[in-house]
Amino acid sequence: MTDSDRRVDDNTRRHLTQVARGGALGLVGAGVSAISGFVLVLIVTNLYGSHDAGLFFTVTSAFMLMSAVATLGTETGLGRFLLRYEAQDRRGDIPPTLRAAFRPTITYSVIIAIAVVVFADPLAEHLGLGDTGAACLQALAAVLPLATWNALTLAGTRAFGQMKATVLVDKIGRSAAQPLLVLLASLSAAGLLGMTIAWAAPYAVSALVSAWLFRQFLRRRGTHEYLEPTRSYRELKREFWRFTWPRSITRISQMAIQRLDILLIAAMRGPRDAAIYTAATRFVALGQFGTQAIQQVLQPKFTALLAGQEHESLREVYQVSAAWSMIIAWPMYMIVAATPLAYLGLFGPEYSSNGVAVVLLMAGAMLFSVASGPADTLLLMSGRSALSLMNSLAALALDVVLCVMLIPSMGITGAALAWAIAVGIRNVLSLVQVRVMLSIVSFGPAAAIAGAANVLCFGAPLVLLELSTDLNIVRLALALLVCVPLYVLALWLGRHRLRLSVLRGLVRRAPARAAEGQADDA
């Protein structure tokens, strides 16, 4: 190995270690969030009828879509600019950039909330929600500005590479409180409105806590002090929104792909089908928690690598982080795809008899999506937000058109097919663009090892078990007691290509971590 290769390898190892540290913390929070969301669906589907469950999933999906509209993509904009300004010794530009992000976003969220309150009745009528559904939409609209504030303040800390506030306040605190409060509401015989208020209340508390934490974070960072900005407020605002506005539409379209199908099913087939579809697809979010944790850490890391023109390290970090995402997420999708009846049985017989095709389509799409790696994140951090926008809009348009065509005749299977095709197209577009514009190939040896380990240790054995026996959740759990150790062994055998040795950095002493974090910030 030449001195140049050794420097690249050491630099790559350093960046991967920092990704692993931030990702490990984010992984805990994302895991709690995903499990809490799954438990919430279990509570609602088992304690309420499919009609009421469908109404609840429809109104909460509408809220998530409104939230994506309200935040205007500012999370990614903050992630691109704040750490960059600090690295360029432009600390004076940070406060006006924050004002440029916060003021229009909060104002916009208030306008949306007022509009939903005023037009709740016709909205509920088009979605088939009834009078109670209209009241639920109004309750959620009242919380929308607080949810937007919560998202912005936490994104502000993440923009500097700090995950702790997001993990503790949002991923663990809010996410864990929601199923608990919904359970208490159901035990007290609360109806749909009471259940919705219980689900929305943690957003208000989280917003207050995150606002205080963000203020303290900026004070410690020194950005609260008056420093002369390098440009005028107007110029900084224009620079921020020139990058961010395409991302706002991208964010809306991505959330629409995730949630719009539930709204379309409720409107075209009724709340019962919406409930079955939500339950059948819930594992998608449960498997995404690892990739989301890693990608949140990668945003500032990609920014730093691109700014330093460290192309070889960028390529290696990209490919290895994609393999790490596969290591975490693929087991869930493999298990569910191999044993769909055991998975659906968790929600009751009404769900298991209607959702097998949906599960298989969704699992296949997510296996490919995770293997594609963080292509969209890399496009965004390289300043190509317009391409990301084009990809998302193309996928959304395809999803909506196919849903409208397929749901009337195929029901929830048609919605799942439309979603799988749209997600696949979006990932293919991102992969091609990353290859052509940044000369980075998404699939590498590390991804091949991670994929083979999943197929051999989970996919093949569980499919054989499903075909040869009446597999239930107990037998599946016993089978996993064998599959998981085999999977760990397979990863250990491929540890060099997977760069798992950098995970030793996670167990360093806290003072050493703090010192390195300060050096990285500088």
Side-chain angles (χ1 to χ4, degrees):
M1 180 182 293
T2 65
D3 291 341
S4 176
D5 290 339
R6 187 175 291 106
R7 284 195 298 271
V8 170
D9 185 72
D10 291 342
N11 191 45
T12 300
R13 181 179 296 273
R14 177 174 62 86
H15 286 296
L16 285 172
T17 301
Q18 291 162 0
V19 170
R21 289 176 189 162
L25 179 61
L27 188 63
V28 173
V32 172
S33 177
I35 293 171
S36 297
F38 190 77
V39 170
L40 175 67
V41 175
L42 286 176
I43 291 172
V44 175
T45 54
N46 284 281
L47 296 182
Y48 290 87
S50 58
H51 183 270
D52 286 342
L55 292 176
F56 175 76
F57 295 140
T58 302
V59 296
T60 52
S61 294
F63 175 82
M64 299 303 294
L65 190 54
M66 287 189 295
S67 181
V69 173
T71 53
L72 294 175
T74 45
E75 296 113 309
T76 303
L78 293 172
R80 174 168 171 78
F81 288 105
L82 298 191
L83 190 61
R84 180 186 294 264
Y85 287 162
E86 190 173 68
Q88 295 173 347
D89 196 24
R90 294 173 56 186
R91 290 176 179 268
D93 292 339
I94 294 177
T97 300
L98 289 174
R99 290 194 298 272
F102 276 57
R103 287 176 179 175
T105 307
I106 296 300
T107 302
Y108 188 48
S109 69
V110 171
I111 293 172
I112 294 174
I114 294 173
V116 172
V117 169
V118 173
F119 297 104
D121 289 332
L123 283 173
E125 182 180 352
H126 281 89
L127 294 174
L129 300 177
D131 294 337
T132 305
C136 292
L137 289 175
Q138 290 175 328
L140 291 173
V143 181
L144 182 63
L146 292 173
T148 304
W149 181 263
N150 179 61
L152 290 180
T153 52
L154 294 177
T157 57
R158 289 198 308 273
F160 292 100
Q162 303 296 319
M163 292 295 299
K164 187 175 181 180
T166 297
V167 170
L168 295 179
V169 176
D170 191 66
K171 299 299 184 181
I172 295 179
R174 176 190 60 79
S175 297
Q178 285 178 312
L180 177 61
L181 292 178
V182 169
L183 177 61
L184 294 176
S186 65
L187 295 177
S188 62
L192 177 62
L193 179 59
M195 182 167 53
T196 303
I197 293 174
W199 180 84
Y203 278 104
V205 178
S206 179
L208 297 176
V209 175
S210 62
W212 181 80
L213 289 175
F214 186 53
R215 183 179 181 85
Q216 296 301 312
F217 175 81
L218 293 179
R219 186 175 298 276
R220 291 194 304 272
R221 203 83 180 187
T223 56
H224 69 289
E225 300 173 356
Y226 178 77
L227 297 171
E228 188 69 30
T230 62
R231 301 179 186 176
S232 68
Y233 174 74
R234 185 185 298 274
E235 291 174 323
L236 292 170
K237 183 178 180 179
R238 185 184 304 113
E239 180 182 29
F240 180 84
W241 285 107
R242 186 169 55 246
F243 169 82
T244 304
W245 79 260
R247 181 55 183 166
S248 66
I249 303 175
T250 303
R251 168 69 174 156
I252 294 168
S253 60
Q254 288 176 346
M255 182 57 68
I257 292 175
Q258 295 176 20
R259 297 286 178 169
L260 189 60
D261 45 3
I262 298 176
L263 302 182
L264 291 173
I265 291 170
M268 301 170 72
R269 302 281 295 197
R272 175 184 171 276
D273 279 11
I276 296 173
Y277 184 81
T278 301
T281 59
R282 193 61 228 179
F283 74 94
V284 172
L286 188 61
Q288 281 180 321
F289 75 91
T291 60
Q292 291 173 348
I294 292 173
Q295 287 182 14
Q296 283 184 337
V297 179
L298 284 174
Q299 282 190 0
K301 187 55 58 184
F302 281 162
T303 297
L305 288 167
L306 288 164
Q309 297 183 343
E310 303 171 58
H311 183 77
E312 291 301 318
S313 293
L314 175 66
R315 178 181 56 81
E316 186 73 9
V317 168
Y318 180 94
Q319 292 187 348
V320 173
S321 62
W324 287 358
S325 295
M326 292 174 65
I327 289 172
I328 297 169
W330 265 42
M332 169 62 66
Y333 300 135
M334 279 285 178
I335 293 168
V336 173
T339 61
L341 290 175
Y343 164 73
L344 290 168
L346 295 170
F347 307 103
E350 187 177 6
Y351 295 85
S352 60
S353 61
N354 293 281
V356 173
V358 174
V359 168
L360 295 177
L361 286 167
M362 290 286 192
M366 289 310 301
L367 287 171
F368 176 69
S369 179
V370 174
S372 300
D376 187 64
T377 302
L378 183 54
L379 285 175
L380 288 167
M381 294 303 102
S382 64
R384 294 172 171 86
S385 57
L387 281 178
S388 176
L389 168 62
M390 181 193 71
N391 298 342
S392 295
L393 288 180
L396 176 59
L398 185 61
D399 185 39
V400 172
V401 170
L402 290 176
C403 277
V404 172
M405 292 173 57
L406 299 177
I407 289 176
S409 59
M410 299 177 63
I412 60 175
T413 302
L417 179 59
W419 185 89
I421 293 173
V423 168
I425 292 297
R426 185 182 67 191
N427 280 290
V428 168
L429 290 172
S430 298
L431 290 174
V432 171
Q433 289 156 0
V434 166
R435 175 68 180 90
V436 171
M437 298 184 177
L438 298 172
S439 300
I440 291 179
V441 178
S442 298
F443 303 104
I449 293 172
N454 275 275
V455 172
L456 294 175
C457 299
F458 292 111
L462 292 178
V463 167
L464 292 175
L465 192 62
E466 172 83 356
L467 295 175
S468 61
T469 185
D470 183 17
L471 189 64
N472 56 32
I473 200 68
V474 175
R475 290 176 179 172
L476 175 59
L478 293 175
L480 291 178
L481 292 178
V482 178
C483 293
V484 170
L486 290 176
Y487 184 57
V488 173
L489 175 61
L491 296 180
W492 183 82
L493 293 175
R495 63 191 182 279
H496 297 300
R497 283 289 191 180
L498 294 170
R499 295 272 192 167
L500 297 182
S501 60
V502 303
L503 300 180
R504 287 197 297 264
L506 298 177
V507 297
R508 292 180 184 175
R509 293 176 300 175
R513 288 200 301 268
E516 290 187 11
Q518 292 172 0
D520 185 51
D521 290 341

